[in-house]
């Protein structure tokens, strides 16, 4: 049984309804719109596809005419392309099960959509700007829109600016890249997610005094920085009895996390909790499996996968803050299509709501996530 909030269900159902209704909306033709707007078909085509050379007044005339003829969604819904689009996604896989589940969701959803002509998944060989640059070189020519999971680095930001200026629409997934003209960000509010983790650990420790460890994959990810900041700010505000230790970057490496966790258990006898904001979590669980139950700290981490599901069942993990890989993948395709269709560089930002998964409310299966 799904555990989505009612607001999330309504929002997702609305966007699915828009996509299902596309066949009806497309019955009007560009010639019909041109006749209604009193403009040439060439002008209408440029306006609908967000190309240059159309005045703001004429663009509005085209959009009004298109909506009145049922060619575009009504007010409050975002537009969809007038022809099938070619999409690409750059994803740093590594050993990250969440990334794989996101791309699986993207592929399944895109394959079922008549508005997607092609969907290419480019695996990045790492998380840094060099890996991102190499991935960009592999993007097929003619790609209309690009979804990226990447770090917030000056070279990455500059590359994204150049891509957007070329006319390609870009959306970021899971971790945003700020100060870039990307059209949209698809994912949870990571600041809120970090504060949620702090509240969970504060409730689990029940007023005890001690330290809390923070593991992040890389602070080059804006999302990991935001999670850490939210976590620390919530502890300082509401749980001053818990001391947040210096964050440990693991580069998403399970062996590194394993070593650091063993060190903390030796040097921090008052360790009450662990917040793992990134990947490499198997290294953490390997340590906890050999730790006496009375010495085991409370653990909160991110993303519901087959592994984290089992760790919840086995009691190795207390809570998982999930950003819903399936929903991110499907929203990435929908919002990228909307960005391609609209003349606006940036769509209204709508975060995916994080879900708190405990042992007693684990969804029935991965297909239900």
């Amino acid at each position: 049984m799904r555990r989505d909030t009612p607001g999330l269900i309504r929002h997702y159902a609305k966007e699915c309804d828009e996509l299902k209704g596309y066949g009806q909306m497309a019955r009007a033709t560009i010639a019909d719109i041109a006749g209604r707007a009193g403009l040439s078909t060439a002008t209408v085509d440029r306006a609908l596809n967000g190309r240059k050379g159309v005045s703001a007044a004429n663009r509005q005339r085209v959009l009004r005419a298109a909506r009145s003829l049922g060619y575009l969604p009504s007010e409050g819904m975002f537009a969809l392309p007038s022809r099938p689009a070619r999409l690409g996604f750059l994803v740093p896989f590594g050993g990250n099960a969440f990334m794989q589940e996101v791309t699986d969701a993207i592929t399944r959803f895109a394959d079922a959509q008549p508005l997607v002509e092609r969907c290419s998944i480019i695996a990045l060989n790492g998380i840094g700007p060099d890996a991102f640059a190499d991935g960009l070189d592999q993007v097929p020519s003619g790609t209309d829109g690009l979804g990226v999971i990447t770090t917030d680095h000056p070279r990455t930001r500059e590359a994204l600016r150049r891509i957007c200026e070329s006319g390609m629409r870009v959306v970021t997934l899971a971790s945003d890249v700020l100060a870039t003209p990307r059209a949209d960000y698809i994912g949870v509010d990571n600041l809120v997610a970090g504060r949620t983790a702090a509240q969970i650990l504060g409730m689990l420790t029940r007023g005890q005094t001690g330290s809390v460890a923070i593991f992040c994959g890389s602070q080059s990810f804006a999302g990991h920085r935001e999670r850490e900041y939210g976590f620390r700010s919530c502890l300082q505000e509401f749980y001053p009895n818990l001391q947040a230790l210096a964050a440990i970057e693991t580069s998403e490496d399970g062996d590194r996390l394993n070593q650091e966790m063993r060190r903390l258990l030796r040097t921090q006898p008052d360790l009450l909790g662990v917040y793992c904001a990134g990947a490499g979590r198997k290294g953490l669980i390997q340590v906890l499996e050999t730790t006496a139950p009375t010495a085991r700290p409370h653990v909160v981490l991110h993303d519901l996968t087959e592994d984290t599901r089992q760790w919840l069942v086995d009691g190795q993990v207390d809570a998982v803050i999930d950003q819903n890989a399936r929903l991110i993948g499907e929203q990435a395709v929908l919002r990228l299509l909307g960005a391609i269709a609209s003349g606006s560089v940036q769509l209204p930002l709508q975060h995916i709501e994080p879900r708190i998964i405990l042992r007693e409310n684990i969804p029935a299966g991965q297909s239900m996530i």
Side-chain angles (χ1 to χ4, degrees):
M1 181 177 179
R2 291 191 56 187
R3 306 287 177 172
D4 296 297
T5 62
L8 186 150
I9 293 174
R10 288 195 299 271
H11 173 67
Y12 177 61
K14 173 185 171 184
E15 294 194 337
C16 285
D17 288 343
E18 292 168 19
L19 190 60
K20 291 175 183 175
Y22 175 76
Q24 295 177 326
M25 291 185 286
R27 285 181 296 190
T29 67
I30 287 180
D32 295 332
I33 298 169
R36 177 68 62 90
L39 298 167
S40 69
T41 55
T43 298
V44 171
D45 182 71
R46 287 197 297 272
L48 291 176
N49 288 284
R51 300 192 186 101
K52 297 179 180 179
V54 183
S55 69
N58 281 344
R59 192 179 301 278
Q60 289 300 316
R61 290 169 64 185
V62 168
L63 293 178
R64 280 197 299 270
R67 288 195 178 96
S68 69
L69 291 168
Y71 188 89
L72 294 177
S74 60
E75 292 295 335
M77 302 179 182
F78 59 80
L80 294 172
S82 57
R83 58 179 175 78
R86 293 156 294 190
L87 310 181
F89 292 88
L90 276 67
V91 183
F93 286 96
N96 194 324
F98 171 73
M99 298 293 185
Q100 184 62 60
E101 291 184 6
V102 169
T103 53
D104 288 347
I106 288 171
T107 301
R108 285 194 303 269
F109 193 69
D111 286 348
Q113 306 312 317
L115 286 175
V116 179
E117 177 183 324
R118 180 186 72 207
C119 182
S120 304
I121 305 294
I122 297 101
L124 300 182
N125 186 27
I127 61 176
D130 289 338
F132 184 69
D134 290 342
L136 287 177
D137 290 339
Q138 301 174 47
V139 175
S141 61
T143 298
D144 301 302
L146 196 63
V148 302
I149 301 177
T150 189
T151 54
D152 186 9
H153 185 278
R155 286 172 53 198
T156 305
R157 292 194 294 270
E158 181 59 27
L160 288 177
R161 279 194 288 269
R162 289 198 302 270
I163 296 168
C164 295
E165 287 171 1
S166 75
M168 186 183 296
R169 293 292 184 250
V170 174
V171 299
T172 55
L173 284 64
S175 181
D176 205 358
V177 183
L178 303 173
T180 63
R182 90 288 187 267
D184 207 350
Y185 161 67
I186 297 96
V188 301
D189 183 327
N190 284 297
L191 184 70
V192 169
R195 291 183 65 87
T196 301
Q199 182 175 359
I200 293 171
L201 283 177
M203 295 167 66
L204 288 170
T205 54
R206 297 186 180 93
Q208 295 174 270
T209 298
S211 59
V212 178
I214 305 171
F215 292 104
C216 65
S218 172
Q219 291 185 335
S220 295
F221 281 116
H224 289 195
R225 294 198 305 269
E226 291 165 354
R227 289 174 184 179
E228 181 191 351
Y229 179 80
F231 184 81
R232 290 184 181 280
S233 63
C234 185
L235 287 187
Q236 291 170 1
E237 187 174 355
F238 296 108
Y239 306 100
N241 53 299
L242 298 179
Q243 178 195 1
L245 302 174
I248 299 172
E249 287 190 69
T250 65
S251 300
E252 314 277 56
D253 184 337
D255 290 338
R256 171 78 186 282
L257 202 159
N258 184 298
Q259 295 169 8
E260 292 292 343
M261 186 62 199
R262 292 185 187 281
R263 179 185 62 80
L264 286 174
L265 288 175
R266 290 194 309 268
T267 60
Q268 296 291 148
D270 66 341
L271 187 67
L272 296 177
V274 174
Y275 173 43
C276 187
R281 300 161 296 195
K282 284 186 179 180
L284 169 63
I285 300 304
Q286 289 167 354
V287 177
L288 297 180
E289 286 174 341
T290 61
T291 303
T294 55
R296 184 183 76 82
H298 296 289
V299 178
V300 176
L301 43 75
H302 283 265
D303 303 323
L304 187 66
T305 66
E306 287 297 340
D307 283 337
T308 58
R309 174 191 300 272
Q310 191 61 50
W311 298 337
L312 280 168
V313 172
D314 294 341
Q316 302 288 3
V317 167
D318 296 279
V320 171
I321 300 172
D322 183 48
Q323 52 187 329
N324 200 324
R326 181 195 58 78
L327 190 56
I328 285 182
E330 295 180 2
Q331 287 287 308
V333 174
L334 281 172
R335 302 292 284 182
L336 196 50
L337 289 172
I340 292 167
S342 73
S344 172
V345 173
Q346 190 158 355
L347 298 170
L349 182 61
Q350 295 176 313
H351 287 114
I352 288 174
E353 297 177 21
R355 303 182 301 174
I356 299 173
I357 309 297
L358 308 173
R359 185 181 59 193
E360 299 301 330
N361 73 335
I362 301 172
Q366 284 302 101
S367 63
M368 300 296 292
I369 295 177

